[in-house]
Amino acid sequence: MSNRTISWAAALRELKADRAVRSPVREERLRTNAGLRGAPGLAMSVWRGRSGRRYVVVVQPLDAPDLVADQAAVVLAVARDDQGRASIVAARACEAGDPGFLGWLAACARLGARELHAYRLAETRPERAKIAADLGGPSDDTAAGAA
């Protein structure tokens, strides 16, 4: 057994420094339901916004069929680095049948996006706009540098 003492003040300073280094908007990996009762796994993840709020998203490849043809969503265009860390290329608050979605998607692909993360739990247009802004992008029809 070690008699080592812990300096709580030093430990708290280290935790605060770590928090300051991390991006306020970040992905927090989520365990999927793969293998539960024979159901196929649903690719899901969690994003934490600037506000500290968590958003559970469904992950799809960039070439997935039109995500917002039938249902409104906040859509994140996401790129990953070599270590698998995700970064948001652009965020868009989309209404069902959004006519500018595919053009926005093409612009995001040119900027390096390879995945789409869709948050569908926002029920109103203002709520979707607020979430898109919290996660890092304009909430209107343009993406941060993508349109």
Side-chain angles (χ1 to χ4, degrees), residues 4-27:
R4 187 175 141 202
T5 60
I6 297 174
S7 166
W8 289 107
L12 287 174
R13 275 194 308 275
E14 188 175 314
L15 283 173
K16 286 180 183 176
D18 179 53
R19 193 175 310 143
V21 171
R22 286 189 296 175
S23 171
V25 176
R26 64 187 180 279
E27 181 185 39

Side-chain angles (χ1 to χ4, degrees), residues 27 38 44 124:
E27 181 185 39
M44 298 178 76
T124 65

